[in-house]
Coordinates of all heavy atoms in Angstrom, one line a residue:
S1 N 3.5 -11.4 13.3 CA 4.7 -10.8 12.8 C 4.7 -9.4 13.1 O 3.7 -8.7 12.9 CB 4.9 -11.1 11.3 OG 6.1 -10.6 10.8
Y2 N 5.8 -8.9 13.6 CA 5.9 -7.5 14.0 C 4.9 -7.2 15.1 O 4.4 -6.1 15.2 CB 5.8 -6.5 12.9 CG 6.8 -6.6 11.8 CD1 6.5 -7.2 10.6 CD2 8.1 -6.2 12.0 CE1 7.5 -7.4 9.6 CE2 9.1 -6.4 11.1 CZ 8.8 -7.0 9.9 OH 9.8 -7.1 8.9
G3 N 4.4 -8.2 15.8 CA 3.5 -8.0 16.9 C 2.0 -8.0 16.5 O 1.2 -7.7 17.3
I4 N 1.8 -8.2 15.2 CA 0.4 -8.1 14.7 C 0.1 -9.3 13.8 O 1.0 -10.0 13.3 CB 0.2 -6.8 13.9 CG1 1.1 -6.7 12.7 CG2 0.3 -5.5 14.8 CD1 0.8 -5.5 11.8
P5 N -1.2 -9.5 13.6 CA -1.6 -10.7 12.7 C -1.1 -10.5 11.3 O -1.2 -9.4 10.7 CB -3.1 -10.6 12.7 CG -3.5 -10.0 14.0 CD -2.4 -8.9 14.2
A6 N -0.5 -11.6 10.8 CA 0.1 -11.6 9.4 C -0.4 -12.9 8.7 O -0.5 -13.9 9.4 CB 1.6 -11.6 9.5
Y7 N -0.5 -12.8 7.4 CA -1.0 -14.0 6.7 C 0.0 -14.2 5.5 O 0.4 -13.3 4.8 CB -2.4 -13.7 6.2 CG -3.4 -13.7 7.3 CD1 -3.5 -12.5 8.0 CD2 -4.1 -14.8 7.7 CE1 -4.4 -12.5 9.1 CE2 -4.9 -14.8 8.8 CZ -5.1 -13.6 9.5 OH -5.9 -13.6 10.6
Y8 N 0.3 -15.5 5.3 CA 1.3 -15.9 4.4 C 0.7 -16.9 3.4 O 0.0 -17.8 3.7 CB 2.5 -16.6 5.1 CG 3.3 -15.7 5.9 CD1 2.8 -15.3 7.2 CD2 4.5 -15.2 5.5 CE1 3.6 -14.5 8.0 CE2 5.3 -14.4 6.3 CZ 4.8 -14.0 7.5 OH 5.6 -13.2 8.3
L9 N 1.1 -16.8 2.1 CA 0.8 -17.7 1.1 C 2.1 -17.9 0.3 O 2.8 -16.9 0.1 CB -0.3 -17.2 0.1 CG -1.7 -17.3 0.5 CD1 -2.6 -16.6 -0.5 CD2 -2.2 -18.8 0.7
N10 N 2.3 -19.1 -0.2 CA 3.5 -19.4 -1.0 C 4.8 -18.9 -0.3 O 5.7 -18.5 -0.9 CB 3.4 -18.7 -2.4 CG 2.1 -19.1 -3.1 OD1 1.9 -20.3 -3.2 ND2 1.3 -18.1 -3.5
G11 N 4.8 -19.0 1.0 CA 6.0 -18.7 1.8 C 6.2 -17.2 2.0 O 7.3 -16.8 2.5
R12 N 5.3 -16.3 1.6 CA 5.5 -14.9 1.7 C 4.2 -14.2 2.2 O 3.1 -14.7 1.9 CB 6.0 -14.2 0.4 CG 5.0 -14.4 -0.7 CD 5.4 -13.7 -2.0 NE 6.8 -13.3 -2.0 CZ 7.6 -13.3 -3.0 NH1 7.2 -13.8 -4.1 NH2 8.9 -13.0 -2.9
Q13 N 4.4 -13.2 3.0 CA 3.3 -12.5 3.6 C 2.5 -11.8 2.5 O 3.1 -11.4 1.5 CB 3.7 -11.5 4.7 CG 4.5 -10.3 4.2 CD 3.7 -9.2 3.6 OE1 2.5 -9.1 3.8 NE2 4.3 -8.4 2.8
F14 N 1.2 -11.6 2.7 CA 0.4 -10.9 1.7 C -0.5 -9.8 2.4 O -0.9 -8.9 1.8 CB -0.4 -11.8 0.8 CG -1.5 -12.5 1.4 CD1 -2.8 -12.0 1.3 CD2 -1.3 -13.7 2.1 CE1 -3.9 -12.6 1.9 CE2 -2.4 -14.4 2.6 CZ -3.7 -13.8 2.6
I15 N -0.7 -10.0 3.7 CA -1.6 -9.0 4.3 C -1.4 -9.0 5.9 O -1.1 -10.1 6.4 CB -3.1 -9.2 4.0 CG1 -3.9 -7.9 4.2 CG2 -3.7 -10.4 4.7 CD1 -3.9 -7.0 3.1
Y16 N -1.5 -7.8 6.5 CA -1.4 -7.7 7.9 C -2.6 -6.9 8.3 O -3.1 -6.1 7.6 CB -0.2 -6.9 8.4 CG 1.1 -7.5 8.1 CD1 1.8 -7.3 6.9 CD2 1.8 -8.2 9.2 CE1 3.1 -7.8 6.7 CE2 3.1 -8.7 8.9 CZ 3.7 -8.5 7.7 OH 5.0 -8.9 7.5
F17 N -3.1 -7.0 9.6 CA -4.0 -6.1 10.2 C -3.7 -5.8 11.6 O -2.9 -6.6 12.2 CB -5.5 -6.6 10.0 CG -5.9 -7.7 10.8 CD1 -6.3 -7.6 12.1 CD2 -5.9 -9.0 10.3 CE1 -6.7 -8.7 12.9 CE2 -6.3 -10.1 11.0 CZ -6.7 -10.0 12.3
A18 N -4.2 -4.7 12.1 CA -3.9 -4.3 13.5 C -5.0 -3.5 14.1 O -5.7 -2.8 13.3 CB -2.6 -3.5 13.5
G19 N -5.1 -3.6 15.4 CA -6.1 -2.8 16.1 C -5.5 -1.7 16.9 O -4.3 -1.9 17.4
Y20 N -6.1 -0.6 17.0 CA -5.6 0.6 17.8 C -6.8 1.2 18.5 O -8.0 0.7 18.4 CB -5.0 1.6 16.8 CG -3.8 1.1 16.1 CD1 -3.9 0.5 14.9 CD2 -2.5 1.1 16.7 CE1 -2.8 0.0 14.2 CE2 -1.4 0.6 16.1 CZ -1.6 0.0 14.8 OH -0.5 -0.5 14.2
K21 N -6.5 2.2 19.3 CA -7.6 2.8 20.2 C -8.7 3.4 19.4 O -9.9 3.2 19.7 CB -6.9 3.9 21.0 CG -7.9 4.4 22.1 CD -7.1 5.4 23.0 CE -8.0 5.9 24.1 NZ -7.4 6.8 25.0
K22 N -8.4 4.0 18.2 CA -9.5 4.7 17.5 C -9.7 4.2 16.0 O -10.5 4.7 15.3 CB -9.2 6.2 17.4 CG -9.2 6.9 18.8 CD -9.1 8.3 18.7 CE -9.1 8.9 20.1 NZ -9.1 10.4 20.1
H23 N -8.8 3.2 15.6 CA -9.0 2.7 14.3 C -8.4 1.3 14.2 O -7.8 0.8 15.1 CB -8.2 3.6 13.3 CG -6.8 3.6 13.4 ND1 -6.1 4.4 14.3 CD2 -5.8 2.9 12.7 CE1 -4.8 4.2 14.2 NE2 -4.6 3.3 13.3
V24 N -8.7 0.7 13.1 CA -8.0 -0.6 12.7 C -7.2 -0.3 11.4 O -7.6 0.5 10.6 CB -8.9 -1.8 12.5 CG1 -9.6 -2.1 13.9 CG2 -10.0 -1.5 11.5
S25 N -6.1 -1.0 11.2 CA -5.3 -0.8 10.0 C -5.1 -2.1 9.2 O -5.2 -3.1 9.8 CB -3.9 -0.3 10.4 OG -4.0 1.1 10.9
L26 N -5.0 -1.9 8.0 CA -4.7 -3.0 7.0 C -3.5 -2.6 6.2 O -3.4 -1.5 5.8 CB -5.9 -3.2 6.1 CG -6.0 -4.4 5.2 CD1 -6.2 -5.7 6.1 CD2 -7.1 -4.3 4.2
Y27 N -2.6 -3.5 6.0 CA -1.4 -3.3 5.2 C -0.8 -4.5 4.7 O -1.0 -5.6 5.4 CB -0.4 -2.4 5.9 CG -0.3 -2.3 7.4 CD1 0.8 -1.7 8.0 CD2 -1.4 -2.7 8.2 CE1 0.8 -1.6 9.4 CE2 -1.3 -2.6 9.6 CZ -0.2 -2.0 10.2 OH -0.1 -1.9 11.5
P28 N 0.0 -4.4 3.6 CA 0.1 -3.3 2.8 C -1.2 -3.2 1.9 O -1.8 -4.2 1.5 CB 1.3 -3.6 1.9 CG 1.4 -5.1 1.9 CD 0.8 -5.5 3.2
V29 N -1.5 -2.0 1.6 CA -2.7 -1.7 0.7 C -2.2 -1.0 -0.6 O -1.2 -0.3 -0.5 CB -3.8 -0.9 1.3 CG1 -4.4 -1.6 2.5 CG2 -3.3 0.5 1.8
P30 N -2.8 -1.3 -1.7 CA -2.3 -0.7 -3.0 C -2.8 0.7 -3.2 O -3.6 1.0 -4.1 CB -2.9 -1.7 -4.0 CG -4.2 -2.2 -3.4 CD -3.9 -2.2 -1.9
R31 N -2.4 1.7 -2.4 CA -2.8 3.1 -2.5 C -2.6 3.7 -3.9 O -3.4 4.5 -4.4 CB -2.2 4.0 -1.5 CG -2.8 3.8 -0.1 CD -2.4 5.0 0.8 NE -3.1 4.9 2.0 CZ -4.3 5.5 2.2 NH1 -4.9 6.1 1.3 NH2 -4.8 5.4 3.4
Q32 N -1.5 3.3 -4.6 CA -1.1 3.9 -5.9 C -1.8 3.2 -7.0 O -1.7 3.6 -8.2 CB 0.4 3.9 -6.0 CG 1.1 5.0 -5.4 CD 1.1 5.0 -3.8 OE1 1.3 3.9 -3.3 NE2 0.8 6.1 -3.2
H33 N -2.4 2.0 -6.8 CA -3.1 1.3 -7.9 C -4.4 2.1 -8.3 O -5.1 2.4 -7.4 CB -3.4 -0.1 -7.5 CG -3.8 -1.0 -8.6 ND1 -5.0 -1.0 -9.1 CD2 -3.0 -1.9 -9.4 CE1 -5.1 -1.9 -10.1 NE2 -3.9 -2.4 -10.3
E34 N -4.6 2.2 -9.6 CA -5.7 3.0 -10.1 C -7.0 2.5 -9.6 O -8.0 3.3 -9.4 CB -5.7 3.1 -11.6 CG -5.8 1.8 -12.3 CD -5.7 1.9 -13.8 OE1 -4.7 2.5 -14.3 OE2 -6.6 1.4 -14.5
A35 N -7.2 1.2 -9.4 CA -8.4 0.6 -8.9 C -8.8 1.0 -7.5 O -9.9 1.0 -7.1 CB -8.4 -0.9 -9.0
F36 N -7.8 1.4 -6.7 CA -8.0 1.7 -5.3 C -7.6 3.2 -4.9 O -8.0 3.6 -3.8 CB -7.1 0.8 -4.4 CG -7.5 -0.6 -4.5 CD1 -6.8 -1.5 -5.4 CD2 -8.6 -1.2 -3.8 CE1 -7.2 -2.8 -5.5 CE2 -8.9 -2.5 -3.9 CZ -8.2 -3.3 -4.7
E37 N -7.0 3.9 -5.8 CA -6.5 5.2 -5.4 C -7.6 6.1 -4.9 O -7.4 6.8 -3.9 CB -5.8 5.8 -6.7 CG -5.0 7.0 -6.4 CD -4.1 7.5 -7.6 OE1 -4.5 7.1 -8.7 OE2 -3.2 8.2 -7.3
Q38 N -8.7 6.2 -5.6 CA -9.8 7.1 -5.2 C -10.4 6.7 -3.9 O -10.5 7.5 -3.0 CB -10.8 7.2 -6.3 CG -12.0 8.1 -6.0 CD -11.6 9.6 -6.0 OE1 -10.7 10.0 -6.7 NE2 -12.2 10.3 -5.1
V39 N -10.8 5.5 -3.8 CA -11.5 5.0 -2.6 C -10.6 5.0 -1.4 O -11.1 5.4 -0.3 CB -12.2 3.6 -2.8 CG1 -11.2 2.5 -3.0 CG2 -13.2 3.3 -1.7
L40 N -9.3 4.7 -1.5 CA -8.4 4.7 -0.3 C -8.1 6.2 0.1 O -7.6 6.4 1.2 CB -7.2 3.9 -0.6 CG -7.4 2.4 -0.6 CD1 -6.2 1.6 -1.0 CD2 -7.9 1.9 0.8
S41 N -8.3 7.1 -0.8 CA -8.0 8.5 -0.4 C -8.9 9.0 0.7 O -8.6 10.0 1.3 CB -8.0 9.4 -1.7 OG -9.4 9.5 -2.1
E42 N -10.0 8.3 0.9 CA -10.9 8.7 1.9 C -10.5 8.3 3.3 O -11.1 8.7 4.3 CB -12.3 8.0 1.7 CG -12.9 8.4 0.3 CD -14.2 7.6 0.0 OE1 -14.8 7.1 1.0 OE2 -14.5 7.6 -1.2

């Protein structure tokens, strides 16, 4: 989906990932959630 790997459960997407020249990306990620805010800030 959108040209990158996407995963669906219950008829809706829940995670994508993508590769690039210098990094890999994961989305959507819960940056604002308190359990992840600190570690994702890195």
Side-chain angles (χ1 to χ4, degrees):
S1 181
Y2 300 105
I4 61 174
Y7 293 83
Y8 293 78
L9 280 174
N10 305 307
R12 60 175 16 139
Q13 68 78 20
F14 70 96
I15 201 86
Y16 295 86
F17 69 86
Y20 297 94
K21 188 174 183 177
K22 295 184 179 184
H23 69 276
V24 293
S25 289
L26 189 70
Y27 20 168
V29 296
R31 280 196 175 273
Q32 278 68 43
H33 192 278
E34 63 185 50
F36 295 98
E37 194 171 18
Q38 180 66 33
V39 68
L40 286 174
S41 69
E42 300 173 24

